[in-house]
Amino acid sequence: MLAVLADLLTIGVAVAISPLAIVAVILMATSGKGRTNGTAFVLGCYVFAVAFVGVLVLIGRASGADDPDSGPHLFIDVVEIVLGLILLALAVVQWRKRSSTETPKWMSSLDDLSLAKAFLVGVLISGPLSPKDLPLLVAAGGRISQAALPTGEIVAVILIFGLLGVFAVAIPWVLSVLSPSQVEKKLAGPRTWLVANHAVIMTVLFVILGVKLMGSGIADLARRRRLRCRWR
């Protein structure tokens, strides 16, 4: 299990480093709603990641992806390579947007959200509306599907991966809970920096992760080919 978690570490950290999601929690915290809406938002991020990856793992293992010689196992390796190429393409798109420092318009409505809507925004921004997180969650689901682990350990890996994916978003939330009077003072600077450097941060992440996913997929395919050659 530890080996699988170590393999997922880079992907989990990349999911966690989501500047706009972090800024959203900071805005909720500085508006005095960190304990309520901030909690719902973080839970939305976590629930979606765990549920989405869990469904992918269920489908992958049902199709036999945990067998290194199976077709689904090979398919996941190919998907990883394709996802890597997509992330590299997104890196180019983000780099072209690096001069923009405007805060997205949807953030201006965060102060008026109900608990249910804050939870829904967390769900949407952690996957369906995230060009970064969705490919990474797909890659994580594929990796976990390939692991030859018992069901209990698979569940534990998914839950731990979900926690890893929200740790950065949870930091401003924790500050809003423990020290609400100091939130504005402590988080105003990071909020401004994240908005101003969002495109550059995302570009670097896309390049690193694109290369990592492509390398992992190619390495698995090469390992599979070597094993076949030995058996001939």
mmCIF file of all heavy atoms in Angstrom, residues 66-102:
data_model
loop_
_atom_site.group_PDB
_atom_site.id
_atom_site.type_symbol
_atom_site.label_atom_id
_atom_site.label_comp_id
_atom_site.label_asym_id
_atom_site.label_seq_id
_atom_site.Cartn_x
_atom_site.Cartn_y
_atom_site.Cartn_z
ATOM 1 N N ASP A 66 -6.116 -4.817 -12.602
ATOM 2 C CA ASP A 66 -5.049 -5.159 -11.669
ATOM 3 C C ASP A 66 -4.180 -6.312 -12.179
ATOM 4 O O ASP A 66 -3.160 -6.634 -11.567
ATOM 5 C CB ASP A 66 -5.623 -5.512 -10.293
ATOM 6 C CG ASP A 66 -6.707 -6.573 -10.370
ATOM 7 O OD1 ASP A 66 -7.383 -6.656 -11.402
ATOM 8 O OD2 ASP A 66 -6.866 -7.325 -9.395
ATOM 9 N N ASP A 67 -4.556 -6.913 -13.303
ATOM 10 C CA ASP A 67 -3.749 -7.952 -13.941
ATOM 11 C C ASP A 67 -2.813 -7.282 -14.954
ATOM 12 O O ASP A 67 -3.280 -6.709 -15.940
ATOM 13 C CB ASP A 67 -4.643 -8.956 -14.647
ATOM 14 C CG ASP A 67 -3.856 -10.063 -15.341
ATOM 15 O OD1 ASP A 67 -2.601 -10.052 -15.252
ATOM 16 O OD2 ASP A 67 -4.479 -10.922 -15.979
ATOM 17 N N PRO A 68 -1.481 -7.350 -14.737
ATOM 18 C CA PRO A 68 -0.533 -6.663 -15.621
ATOM 19 C C PRO A 68 -0.620 -7.099 -17.081
ATOM 20 O O PRO A 68 -0.203 -6.349 -17.972
ATOM 21 C CB PRO A 68 0.834 -7.029 -15.023
ATOM 22 C CG PRO A 68 0.549 -7.384 -13.611
ATOM 23 C CD PRO A 68 -0.805 -8.028 -13.620
ATOM 24 N N ASP A 69 -1.139 -8.283 -17.325
ATOM 25 C CA ASP A 69 -1.211 -8.790 -18.702
ATOM 26 C C ASP A 69 -2.565 -8.531 -19.368
ATOM 27 O O ASP A 69 -2.788 -8.963 -20.500
ATOM 28 C CB ASP A 69 -0.938 -10.308 -18.712
ATOM 29 C CG ASP A 69 0.477 -10.629 -18.270
ATOM 30 O OD1 ASP A 69 1.386 -9.853 -18.613
ATOM 31 O OD2 ASP A 69 0.668 -11.638 -17.575
ATOM 32 N N SER A 70 -3.448 -7.843 -18.673
ATOM 33 C CA SER A 70 -4.789 -7.639 -19.221
ATOM 34 C C SER A 70 -4.845 -6.446 -20.170
ATOM 35 O O SER A 70 -4.018 -5.531 -20.110
ATOM 36 C CB SER A 70 -5.798 -7.429 -18.087
ATOM 37 O OG SER A 70 -5.555 -6.197 -17.426
ATOM 38 N N GLY A 71 -5.873 -6.448 -21.012
ATOM 39 C CA GLY A 71 -6.089 -5.336 -21.918
ATOM 40 C C GLY A 71 -6.392 -4.035 -21.194
ATOM 41 O O GLY A 71 -5.846 -2.979 -21.558
ATOM 42 N N PRO A 72 -7.260 -4.047 -20.157
ATOM 43 C CA PRO A 72 -7.537 -2.819 -19.411
ATOM 44 C C PRO A 72 -6.290 -2.199 -18.779
ATOM 45 O O PRO A 72 -6.172 -0.980 -18.707
ATOM 46 C CB PRO A 72 -8.526 -3.290 -18.333
ATOM 47 C CG PRO A 72 -9.232 -4.439 -18.962
ATOM 48 C CD PRO A 72 -8.169 -5.142 -19.770
ATOM 49 N N HIS A 73 -5.356 -3.056 -18.313
ATOM 50 C CA HIS A 73 -4.108 -2.541 -17.738
ATOM 51 C C HIS A 73 -3.328 -1.769 -18.805
ATOM 52 O O HIS A 73 -2.817 -0.673 -18.550
ATOM 53 C CB HIS A 73 -3.265 -3.708 -17.200
ATOM 54 C CG HIS A 73 -2.113 -3.266 -16.353
ATOM 55 N ND1 HIS A 73 -2.137 -3.326 -14.977
ATOM 56 C CD2 HIS A 73 -0.893 -2.758 -16.678
ATOM 57 C CE1 HIS A 73 -0.985 -2.885 -14.499
ATOM 58 N NE2 HIS A 73 -0.213 -2.528 -15.515
ATOM 59 N N LEU A 74 -3.254 -2.332 -19.987
ATOM 60 C CA LEU A 74 -2.583 -1.672 -21.100
ATOM 61 C C LEU A 74 -3.311 -0.388 -21.477
ATOM 62 O O LEU A 74 -2.680 0.645 -21.747
ATOM 63 C CB LEU A 74 -2.532 -2.619 -22.309
ATOM 64 C CG LEU A 74 -2.005 -2.036 -23.628
ATOM 65 C CD1 LEU A 74 -0.557 -1.606 -23.475
ATOM 66 C CD2 LEU A 74 -2.151 -3.066 -24.748
ATOM 67 N N PHE A 75 -4.634 -0.419 -21.480
ATOM 68 C CA PHE A 75 -5.439 0.750 -21.829
ATOM 69 C C PHE A 75 -5.153 1.912 -20.883
ATOM 70 O O PHE A 75 -5.046 3.076 -21.306
ATOM 71 C CB PHE A 75 -6.918 0.382 -21.791
ATOM 72 C CG PHE A 75 -7.839 1.534 -22.046
ATOM 73 C CD1 PHE A 75 -7.992 2.045 -23.330
ATOM 74 C CD2 PHE A 75 -8.551 2.110 -21.005
ATOM 75 C CE1 PHE A 75 -8.841 3.120 -23.565
ATOM 76 C CE2 PHE A 75 -9.403 3.179 -21.232
ATOM 77 C CZ PHE A 75 -9.540 3.681 -22.515
ATOM 78 N N ILE A 76 -5.023 1.619 -19.584
ATOM 79 C CA ILE A 76 -4.743 2.666 -18.595
ATOM 80 C C ILE A 76 -3.386 3.317 -18.872
ATOM 81 O O ILE A 76 -3.231 4.542 -18.754
ATOM 82 C CB ILE A 76 -4.796 2.086 -17.168
ATOM 83 C CG1 ILE A 76 -6.244 1.759 -16.804
ATOM 84 C CG2 ILE A 76 -4.203 3.057 -16.152
ATOM 85 C CD1 ILE A 76 -6.406 1.029 -15.495
ATOM 86 N N ASP A 77 -2.395 2.526 -19.256
ATOM 87 C CA ASP A 77 -1.080 3.085 -19.588
ATOM 88 C C ASP A 77 -1.174 4.041 -20.772
ATOM 89 O O ASP A 77 -0.557 5.115 -20.783
ATOM 90 C CB ASP A 77 -0.085 1.962 -19.904
ATOM 91 C CG ASP A 77 0.265 1.131 -18.681
ATOM 92 O OD1 ASP A 77 0.157 1.669 -17.561
ATOM 93 O OD2 ASP A 77 0.636 -0.048 -18.841
ATOM 94 N N VAL A 78 -1.954 3.657 -21.775
ATOM 95 C CA VAL A 78 -2.139 4.515 -22.951
ATOM 96 C C VAL A 78 -2.873 5.795 -22.562
ATOM 97 O O VAL A 78 -2.518 6.894 -23.013
ATOM 98 C CB VAL A 78 -2.911 3.759 -24.054
ATOM 99 C CG1 VAL A 78 -3.229 4.703 -25.219
ATOM 100 C CG2 VAL A 78 -2.112 2.568 -24.551
ATOM 101 N N VAL A 79 -3.887 5.666 -21.698
ATOM 102 C CA VAL A 79 -4.638 6.840 -21.237
ATOM 103 C C VAL A 79 -3.713 7.799 -20.495
ATOM 104 O O VAL A 79 -3.815 9.028 -20.660
ATOM 105 C CB VAL A 79 -5.809 6.408 -20.322
ATOM 106 C CG1 VAL A 79 -6.406 7.618 -19.604
ATOM 107 C CG2 VAL A 79 -6.884 5.713 -21.139
ATOM 108 N N GLU A 80 -2.796 7.269 -19.701
ATOM 109 C CA GLU A 80 -1.847 8.121 -18.988
ATOM 110 C C GLU A 80 -1.001 8.939 -19.958
ATOM 111 O O GLU A 80 -0.768 10.137 -19.736
ATOM 112 C CB GLU A 80 -0.922 7.277 -18.100
ATOM 113 C CG GLU A 80 -1.507 6.930 -16.761
ATOM 114 C CD GLU A 80 -0.454 6.450 -15.785
ATOM 115 O OE1 GLU A 80 0.568 5.893 -16.234
ATOM 116 O OE2 GLU A 80 -0.635 6.637 -14.578
ATOM 117 N N ILE A 81 -0.552 8.326 -21.010
ATOM 118 C CA ILE A 81 0.254 9.035 -22.007
ATOM 119 C C ILE A 81 -0.577 10.139 -22.664
ATOM 120 O O ILE A 81 -0.101 11.274 -22.846
ATOM 121 C CB ILE A 81 0.797 8.056 -23.064
ATOM 122 C CG1 ILE A 81 1.742 7.049 -22.405
ATOM 123 C CG2 ILE A 81 1.509 8.811 -24.180
ATOM 124 C CD1 ILE A 81 2.195 5.925 -23.331
ATOM 125 N N VAL A 82 -1.816 9.825 -23.002
ATOM 126 C CA VAL A 82 -2.704 10.821 -23.627
ATOM 127 C C VAL A 82 -2.967 11.978 -22.671
ATOM 128 O O VAL A 82 -2.929 13.157 -23.057
ATOM 129 C CB VAL A 82 -4.033 10.164 -24.057
ATOM 130 C CG1 VAL A 82 -5.020 11.224 -24.544
ATOM 131 C CG2 VAL A 82 -3.788 9.133 -25.142
ATOM 132 N N LEU A 83 -3.223 11.658 -21.392
ATOM 133 C CA LEU A 83 -3.445 12.707 -20.398
ATOM 134 C C LEU A 83 -2.214 13.587 -20.237
ATOM 135 O O LEU A 83 -2.320 14.812 -20.066
ATOM 136 C CB LEU A 83 -3.817 12.081 -19.045
ATOM 137 C CG LEU A 83 -5.186 11.411 -18.952
ATOM 138 C CD1 LEU A 83 -5.358 10.738 -17.599
ATOM 139 C CD2 LEU A 83 -6.300 12.432 -19.173
ATOM 140 N N GLY A 84 -1.031 12.981 -20.314
ATOM 141 C CA GLY A 84 0.201 13.752 -20.239
ATOM 142 C C GLY A 84 0.295 14.748 -21.382
ATOM 143 O O GLY A 84 0.680 15.913 -21.186
ATOM 144 N N LEU A 85 -0.058 14.312 -22.579
ATOM 145 C CA LEU A 85 -0.040 15.207 -23.742
ATOM 146 C C LEU A 85 -1.057 16.340 -23.579
ATOM 147 O O LEU A 85 -0.779 17.498 -23.937
ATOM 148 C CB LEU A 85 -0.346 14.407 -25.008
ATOM 149 C CG LEU A 85 0.743 13.423 -25.464
ATOM 150 C CD1 LEU A 85 0.222 12.552 -26.600
ATOM 151 C CD2 LEU A 85 2.003 14.178 -25.903
ATOM 152 N N ILE A 86 -2.225 16.013 -23.028
ATOM 153 C CA ILE A 86 -3.247 17.042 -22.796
ATOM 154 C C ILE A 86 -2.749 18.090 -21.812
ATOM 155 O O ILE A 86 -2.931 19.305 -22.013
ATOM 156 C CB ILE A 86 -4.544 16.391 -22.277
ATOM 157 C CG1 ILE A 86 -5.191 15.549 -23.375
ATOM 158 C CG2 ILE A 86 -5.523 17.455 -21.774
ATOM 159 C CD1 ILE A 86 -6.383 14.743 -22.907
ATOM 160 N N LEU A 87 -2.077 17.643 -20.751
ATOM 161 C CA LEU A 87 -1.559 18.581 -19.756
ATOM 162 C C LEU A 87 -0.481 19.477 -20.346
ATOM 163 O O LEU A 87 -0.405 20.670 -20.019
ATOM 164 C CB LEU A 87 -1.019 17.818 -18.546
ATOM 165 C CG LEU A 87 -2.076 17.129 -17.666
ATOM 166 C CD1 LEU A 87 -1.407 16.328 -16.561
ATOM 167 C CD2 LEU A 87 -3.031 18.151 -17.069
ATOM 168 N N LEU A 88 0.348 18.944 -21.220
ATOM 169 C CA LEU A 88 1.365 19.767 -21.874
ATOM 170 C C LEU A 88 0.716 20.815 -22.774
ATOM 171 O O LEU A 88 1.184 21.958 -22.855
ATOM 172 C CB LEU A 88 2.321 18.886 -22.681
ATOM 173 C CG LEU A 88 3.248 17.977 -21.859
ATOM 174 C CD1 LEU A 88 4.095 17.103 -22.783
ATOM 175 C CD2 LEU A 88 4.166 18.812 -20.956
ATOM 176 N N ALA A 89 -0.368 20.427 -23.448
ATOM 177 C CA ALA A 89 -1.097 21.392 -24.275
ATOM 178 C C ALA A 89 -1.716 22.489 -23.400
ATOM 179 O O ALA A 89 -1.691 23.678 -23.761
ATOM 180 C CB ALA A 89 -2.178 20.673 -25.075
ATOM 181 N N LEU A 90 -2.251 22.098 -22.232
ATOM 182 C CA LEU A 90 -2.822 23.077 -21.315
ATOM 183 C C LEU A 90 -1.756 24.012 -20.755
ATOM 184 O O LEU A 90 -2.034 25.181 -20.451
ATOM 185 C CB LEU A 90 -3.539 22.353 -20.168
ATOM 186 C CG LEU A 90 -4.845 21.656 -20.539
ATOM 187 C CD1 LEU A 90 -5.356 20.833 -19.356
ATOM 188 C CD2 LEU A 90 -5.898 22.666 -20.968
ATOM 189 N N ALA A 91 -0.526 23.507 -20.629
ATOM 190 C CA ALA A 91 0.576 24.352 -20.168
ATOM 191 C C ALA A 91 0.804 25.504 -21.142
ATOM 192 O O ALA A 91 1.038 26.654 -20.736
ATOM 193 C CB ALA A 91 1.851 23.526 -20.020
ATOM 194 N N VAL A 92 0.730 25.212 -22.425
ATOM 195 C CA VAL A 92 0.898 26.252 -23.445
ATOM 196 C C VAL A 92 -0.219 27.285 -23.333
ATOM 197 O O VAL A 92 0.018 28.502 -23.387
ATOM 198 C CB VAL A 92 0.915 25.627 -24.858
ATOM 199 C CG1 VAL A 92 0.975 26.723 -25.918
ATOM 200 C CG2 VAL A 92 2.088 24.675 -25.010
ATOM 201 N N VAL A 93 -1.457 26.808 -23.137
ATOM 202 C CA VAL A 93 -2.608 27.708 -23.016
ATOM 203 C C VAL A 93 -2.449 28.616 -21.800
ATOM 204 O O VAL A 93 -2.675 29.841 -21.874
ATOM 205 C CB VAL A 93 -3.916 26.896 -22.906
ATOM 206 C CG1 VAL A 93 -5.103 27.820 -22.622
ATOM 207 C CG2 VAL A 93 -4.156 26.107 -24.189
ATOM 208 N N GLN A 94 -2.058 28.032 -20.670
ATOM 209 C CA GLN A 94 -1.897 28.818 -19.449
ATOM 210 C C GLN A 94 -0.768 29.836 -19.584
ATOM 211 O O GLN A 94 -0.863 30.959 -19.095
ATOM 212 C CB GLN A 94 -1.621 27.891 -18.258
ATOM 213 C CG GLN A 94 -2.829 27.151 -17.745
ATOM 214 C CD GLN A 94 -3.860 28.068 -17.128
ATOM 215 O OE1 GLN A 94 -3.530 29.074 -16.506
ATOM 216 N NE2 GLN A 94 -5.123 27.740 -17.295
ATOM 217 N N TRP A 95 0.307 29.460 -20.245
ATOM 218 C CA TRP A 95 1.441 30.372 -20.403
ATOM 219 C C TRP A 95 1.033 31.607 -21.204
ATOM 220 O O TRP A 95 1.490 32.719 -20.930
ATOM 221 C CB TRP A 95 2.600 29.654 -21.081
ATOM 222 C CG TRP A 95 3.811 30.517 -21.266
ATOM 223 C CD1 TRP A 95 4.320 31.007 -22.427
ATOM 224 C CD2 TRP A 95 4.667 31.004 -20.228
ATOM 225 N NE1 TRP A 95 5.436 31.765 -22.187
ATOM 226 C CE2 TRP A 95 5.681 31.781 -20.841
ATOM 227 C CE3 TRP A 95 4.682 30.857 -18.845
ATOM 228 C CZ2 TRP A 95 6.682 32.408 -20.127
ATOM 229 C CZ3 TRP A 95 5.684 31.487 -18.114
ATOM 230 C CH2 TRP A 95 6.671 32.248 -18.754
ATOM 231 N N ARG A 96 0.157 31.425 -22.162
ATOM 232 C CA ARG A 96 -0.314 32.552 -22.959
ATOM 233 C C ARG A 96 -1.221 33.487 -22.156
ATOM 234 O O ARG A 96 -1.426 34.640 -22.538
ATOM 235 C CB ARG A 96 -1.055 32.044 -24.195
ATOM 236 C CG ARG A 96 -0.138 31.356 -25.212
ATOM 237 C CD ARG A 96 -0.924 30.824 -26.392
ATOM 238 N NE ARG A 96 -0.043 30.245 -27.399
ATOM 239 C CZ ARG A 96 -0.475 29.650 -28.513
ATOM 240 N NH1 ARG A 96 -1.773 29.568 -28.751
ATOM 241 N NH2 ARG A 96 0.391 29.150 -29.373
ATOM 242 N N LYS A 97 -1.761 32.982 -21.041
ATOM 243 C CA LYS A 97 -2.635 33.801 -20.203
ATOM 244 C C LYS A 97 -1.900 34.411 -19.009
ATOM 245 O O LYS A 97 -2.529 34.990 -18.125
ATOM 246 C CB LYS A 97 -3.792 32.941 -19.657
ATOM 247 C CG LYS A 97 -4.745 32.421 -20.722
ATOM 248 C CD LYS A 97 -5.842 31.597 -20.067
ATOM 249 C CE LYS A 97 -6.835 31.053 -21.102
ATOM 250 N NZ LYS A 97 -7.880 30.220 -20.454
ATOM 251 N N ARG A 98 -0.580 34.281 -18.996
ATOM 252 C CA ARG A 98 0.174 34.676 -17.804
ATOM 253 C C ARG A 98 0.090 36.168 -17.486
ATOM 254 O O ARG A 98 0.341 36.579 -16.343
ATOM 255 C CB ARG A 98 1.641 34.264 -17.945
ATOM 256 C CG ARG A 98 2.398 35.001 -19.037
ATOM 257 C CD ARG A 98 3.793 34.388 -19.226
ATOM 258 N NE ARG A 98 4.588 35.099 -20.219
ATOM 259 C CZ ARG A 98 4.465 34.961 -21.531
ATOM 260 N NH1 ARG A 98 3.549 34.128 -22.012
ATOM 261 N NH2 ARG A 98 5.229 35.653 -22.363
ATOM 262 N N SER A 99 -0.243 37.001 -18.455
ATOM 263 C CA SER A 99 -0.313 38.451 -18.215
ATOM 264 C C SER A 99 -1.607 38.870 -17.536
ATOM 265 O O SER A 99 -1.735 39.998 -17.056
ATOM 266 C CB SER A 99 -0.165 39.207 -19.537
ATOM 267 O OG SER A 99 -1.190 38.844 -20.449
ATOM 268 N N SER A 100 -2.587 37.962 -17.484
ATOM 269 C CA SER A 100 -3.877 38.292 -16.873
ATOM 270 C C SER A 100 -3.826 38.086 -15.366
ATOM 271 O O SER A 100 -3.426 37.032 -14.881
ATOM 272 C CB SER A 100 -4.979 37.412 -17.468
ATOM 273 O OG SER A 100 -6.212 37.648 -16.814
ATOM 274 N N THR A 101 -4.210 39.122 -14.609
ATOM 275 C CA THR A 101 -4.206 39.034 -13.140
ATOM 276 C C THR A 101 -5.600 39.297 -12.561
ATOM 277 O O THR A 101 -5.731 39.566 -11.378
ATOM 278 C CB THR A 101 -3.209 40.051 -12.543
ATOM 279 O OG1 THR A 101 -3.579 41.374 -12.982
ATOM 280 C CG2 THR A 101 -1.791 39.752 -12.997
ATOM 281 N N GLU A 102 -6.622 39.206 -13.406
ATOM 282 C CA GLU A 102 -7.980 39.465 -12.952
ATOM 283 C C GLU A 102 -8.538 38.279 -12.160
ATOM 284 O O GLU A 102 -8.314 37.128 -12.515
ATOM 285 C CB GLU A 102 -8.895 39.749 -14.139
ATOM 286 C CG GLU A 102 -8.556 41.020 -14.898
ATOM 287 C CD GLU A 102 -9.529 41.280 -16.020
ATOM 288 O OE1 GLU A 102 -10.462 40.463 -16.178
ATOM 289 O OE2 GLU A 102 -9.351 42.276 -16.730
#
